[in-house]
């Protein structure tokens, strides 16, 4: 299993890379995976060349291929003018239109103020939904004042557990195992299709149709 991390931070070190690293660590607490980090600031010139020439230089081509081949993606950007950075958007503009279809994506963003906290919902989520990615329920925004706060640590832990769940193949009866129950209990109990699920320690994950759940709420 391979998880690719795309960080659009412009400085070194950067809060964007720090958030990306913490999201990666939170994910690896629940699943064993190889990871690869793509620092977009190191590819800025190649990205611009690709737009002009139509051909990606070798390093950029390798990065695009890595994203396409990943089992899961962590994408983190700083906030510029209330949205994702131009470098971040430019990179994903170069991704093949089918590369992210159905791929679990954990979104993160950093900014100087909590006023930009909805950037993950009004900018990042629509972008990756357009690319037909499986955008995870929890996106993590970190303002300057959030670092060191318990709330940020909790959001990071929850997001990492979600990515681990959605990059782990479902268990087949008699073959392999499903994600552990503690991991399942820590995250939103939903299947890849959005159906509400319940967890049985003996049988793994059991999908309960939404109609069946509604039926239990009906007044006799």
């Amino acid at each position: 299993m391979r998880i690719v991390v795309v960080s659009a931070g412009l400085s070194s070190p950067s809060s964007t890379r720090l958030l990306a690293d913490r999201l990666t660590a939170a994910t690896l607490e629940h699943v064993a995976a190889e990871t690869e980090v793509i620092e977009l600031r190191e590819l800025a010139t190649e990205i611009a060349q690709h737009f002009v020439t139509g051909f990606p230089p070798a390093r950029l081509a390798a990065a695009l291929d890595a994203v396409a081949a990943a089992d899961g993606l962590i994408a983190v950007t700083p906030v510029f003018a209330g949205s994702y950075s131009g470098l971040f958007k430019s990179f994903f503009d170069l991704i093949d239109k089918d590369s992210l279809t159905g791929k679990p994506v954990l979104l993160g963003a950093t900014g100087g103020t909590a006023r930009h906290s909805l950037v993950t919902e009004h900018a990042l989520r629509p972008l990756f939904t357009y690319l037909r990615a499986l955008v995870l329920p929890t996106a993590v925004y970190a303002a300057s004042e959030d670092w060191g706060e318990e709330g940020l640590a909790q959001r990071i832990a929850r997001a990492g557990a979600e990515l681990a769940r959605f990059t782990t193949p479902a268990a087949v009866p008699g073959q392999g195992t499903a994600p552990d129950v503690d991991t399942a209990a820590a995250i939103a109990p939903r299947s890849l299709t959005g159906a509400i699920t319940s967890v049985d320690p003996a049988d793994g994950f059991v999908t309960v149709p939404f109609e069946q759940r509604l039926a239990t709420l009906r007044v006799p």
Side-chain angles (χ1 to χ4, degrees):
M1 184 176 299
R2 190 171 187 80
I3 294 174
V4 171
V5 183
V6 177
S7 172
L10 296 181
S11 60
S12 181
S14 72
S15 59
T16 300
R17 175 61 188 270
L18 177 59
L19 178 58
D21 287 345
R22 292 196 176 181
L23 290 171
T24 302
T27 302
L28 295 180
E29 288 183 4
H30 301 283
V31 64
E34 296 181 1
T35 60
E36 178 179 350
V37 179
I38 298 172
E39 284 276 13
L40 295 187
R41 68 185 184 87
E42 298 176 355
L43 297 172
T45 300
E46 286 92 335
I47 291 172
Q49 289 175 348
H50 190 355
F51 276 109
V52 175
T53 65
F55 298 97
R59 286 201 310 167
L60 177 58
L64 296 172
D65 289 343
V67 170
D71 296 295
L73 182 67
I74 297 174
V76 187
T77 179
V79 174
F80 286 167
S83 187
Y84 37 65
S85 73
L87 181 61
F88 183 87
K89 178 60 161 60
S90 294
F91 178 76
F92 284 101
D93 280 345
L94 300 177
I95 294 286
D96 181 87
K97 63 181 180 65
D98 297 320
S99 292
L100 298 186
T101 300
K103 193 184 302 295
V105 178
L106 194 170
L107 301 177
T110 58
T113 171
R115 289 180 298 172
H116 296 304
S117 60
L118 289 179
V119 68
T120 57
E121 306 307 313
H122 71 67
L124 287 169
R125 195 175 295 275
L127 170 62
F128 286 91
T129 297
Y130 173 79
L131 293 172
R132 298 194 295 278
L134 177 65
V135 186
L136 298 183
T138 300
V140 180
Y141 175 80
S144 297
E145 62 265 29
D146 289 331
W147 295 102
E149 295 295 326
E150 183 179 353
L152 176 60
Q154 291 175 343
R155 296 196 300 275
I156 289 173
R158 183 180 182 87
E162 287 176 358
L163 182 58
R165 176 181 179 179
F166 285 114
T167 53
T168 303
V172 177
Q175 302 179 21
T177 58
D180 60 86
V181 176
D182 289 341
T183 297
I187 61 180
R190 293 187 178 275
S191 69
L192 290 174
T193 60
I196 298 175
T197 61
S198 61
V199 179
D200 186 318
D203 301 327
F205 292 108
V206 178
T207 300
V208 179
F210 184 59
E211 294 80 3
Q212 181 178 336
R213 286 298 183 98
L214 283 179
T216 65
L217 300 177
R218 293 172 184 163
V219 178

